[in-house]
Amino acid sequence: MGRLFGTDGVRGLANGRLTAELALDLAVAAARVLGSRGRDDIRQSGHGRRPFAVVGRDPRASGEFLEAAVVAGLAGAGVDVYRAGVLPTPAIAYLTGLLGADMGVMLSASHNAMPDNGIKFFARGGHKLPDDVENEIEALLGTAWERPTGSAVGRVQDHPEGHERYVEHLLSSLPHRLDGLKVVVDCANGASSAVAPDALRRAGAEVIAIHAEPDGLNINEQCGSTHMEALAAAVVEHGADAGIAHDGDADRCLAVDARGEAVDGDAILAVLALAMRDGGRLVEDTLVATVMSNLGLRLAMQAAGIKMVETAVGDRYVLEAMQAAGLSLGGEQSGHVVLLEHATTGDGTLTALQLLARVAETGRPLHELAAVMTRLPQMLVNVGGVDRTRVHSTPELARAVALVEERLGTTGRVLLRPSGTEPLVRVMVEAQTHDQAHNEAAGLAEVVRTLLALEQ
């Protein structure tokens, strides 16, 4: 089956690949790894002898039985459990840190369709796990362990205060209230359905909430950050100043301006970078983004005198780079934005509040703020059936890339990304025009197909 953990926890078809048995076993293994750390600190804090965990989920129907399995595994391994209920992923990360828990567990498949689900773990402080810790947990699956009995088994209690504590935290981050703004928020029938409208209203905005009635089956169904047509229409219909789109677990944020035009993660990063620089909160005047961020973001930041650090694709790599250098802002085109001053992971509601605060503070419409960045046409071609391991070691391919880069000059870019798991190479080209990006990407894709073809 290969490595169980992916780029964001363990994910798969609920009751298919991701069974109750696997969820229970993962919880036990995580308890054995994460629950054994920092016990002296726990005793000194007065919590008691047992480690404890915060568990939350999105509203998928499968989250009900998977939550039961995770809670059983943790308690059976001697971990006390605070069951926070339906909350966004970043809320569980925040509560893990706030309460001094040894670990947090979130059950969600993010933007995936309803039949999928996933398990994400957070370490003490609310931080995502590094690869070596995930490997340690995976290695313990199915191995013998000493089961606690009697008073040593974990206890389980609900934690209904989680919603209020998280919203108060979000509001405390606001640099400017949102009074006077009308906002449509698409909650994807997901984990933000209660939190996001509440936070926006208490921040002062007039809020129209759509797709905020989860029934366990309708999460991400033609709504949210992966289907923004309804949001755009609602913004125009209601004459709103902006629209906000979340995914199923609300760790990402995309936006729509008053004209109904999309504002992607790159544009949001550009607006926030300038706002934080002007407020003296952009550490070292540096933004962290992935290699897939549009060249237009790089050019805009260069013009504004803001430096950029580039990482591999994935918000975990953005976060690692930020933590290593002590930086304050980073994110992805997909809408994962990390504001390290206030959060340990991408937080869609936090991002929305910060973005709208900039609109309210400046009195400028969102489309005008986002216009600081001109998005260059980007073409992505997936080339399958090739030897992905030879992408960076084939001289003929390197020469072909150099020729394309020479033709594009300073207003274009080429990126070849081998898949981590499939015999596939992703060819990405950015250029001044759509036709140029399309033609150069198609030509380079054919070169990749020819030079790296697998032997039959």
Side-chain angles (χ1 to χ4, degrees), residues 7 34 48 136 264 296 317 355 363:
T7 56
L34 301 174
E136 193 177 347
D264 70 5
Y317 301 113
L355 178 67

Side-chain angles (χ1 to χ4, degrees), residues 42-311:
I42 297 169
R43 294 190 188 98
Q44 292 168 10
S45 71
H47 176 77
R49 295 183 179 179
R50 287 189 298 268
F52 76 106
V54 178
V55 177
R57 64 181 180 89
D58 72 22
R60 292 166 209 265
S62 61
E64 297 166 4
F65 81 79
L66 289 171
E67 177 192 56
V70 165
V71 170
L74 292 172
V79 176
D80 289 341
V81 179
Y82 286 13
R83 192 167 47 197
V86 175
L87 282 176
T89 289
I92 300 305
Y94 171 70
L95 291 171
T96 299
L98 177 70
L99 299 174
D102 293 271
M103 70 190 83
V105 187
M106 178 68 185
L107 296 155
S108 176
S110 189
H111 61 281
N112 285 28
M114 181 276 296
D116 288 349
N117 215 321
I119 304 177
K120 306 179 187 183
F121 293 100
F122 295 99
R124 297 191 80 191
H127 299 283
K128 288 189 175 182
L129 306 185
D131 288 344
D132 61 331
V133 176
E134 290 181 341
N135 292 339
E136 193 177 347
I137 291 172
E138 192 165 333
L140 289 180
L141 291 175
T143 63
W145 58 290
E146 185 178 347
R147 299 170 183 267
T149 59
S151 63
V153 300
R155 304 296 298 273
V156 181
Q157 60 181 295
D158 290 333
H159 187 70
E161 304 91 341
H163 173 109
E164 181 61 24
R165 285 177 161 176
Y166 176 55
V167 172
E168 286 181 354
H169 159 67
L170 293 173
L171 296 174
S172 72
S173 76
L174 268 181
H176 195 283
R177 284 186 56 81
L178 310 184
D179 301 279
L181 292 184
K182 181 187 287 189
V183 180
V184 180
V185 57
D186 186 337
C187 301
N189 291 316
S192 70
S193 295
V195 164
D198 185 25
L200 290 167
R201 289 190 181 105
R202 287 165 62 176
E206 177 184 347
V207 179
I208 299 103
I210 64 174
H211 303 124
E213 298 179 355
D215 61 9
L217 306 178
N218 59 2
I219 188 169
N220 296 322
E221 186 177 5
Q222 297 300 310
C223 59
S225 60
T226 53
H227 299 279
M228 295 176 60
E229 301 81 8
L231 175 63
V235 167
V236 173
E237 176 189 349
H238 291 283
D241 297 288
I244 297 297
H246 296 306
D247 58 338
D249 70 337
D251 66 350
R252 69 173 70 181
C253 168
L254 296 176
V256 169
D257 65 28
R259 303 174 301 184
E261 296 182 4
V263 179
D264 70 5
D266 284 343
I268 291 172
L269 285 171
V271 173
L272 294 183
L274 293 176
M276 292 174 66
R277 183 202 61 184
D278 293 349
R281 295 181 292 118
L282 187 64
V283 174
E284 296 185 16
D285 285 345
T286 299
L287 169 67
V288 181
T290 77
V291 293
M292 288 302 291
S293 284
N294 193 272
L295 179 59
L297 175 61
R298 291 164 172 77
L299 296 175
M301 294 299 94
Q302 183 179 8
I306 293 174
K307 299 182 287 293
M308 284 191 65
V309 171
E310 192 174 88
T311 76

Side-chain angles (χ1 to χ4, degrees), residues 336-357:
H336 285 118
V337 174
V338 182
L339 293 136
L340 206 52
E341 180 183 358
H342 306 293
T344 58
T345 187
D347 189 325
T349 311
L350 174 66
T351 301
L353 289 168
Q354 299 294 317
L355 178 67
L356 294 169

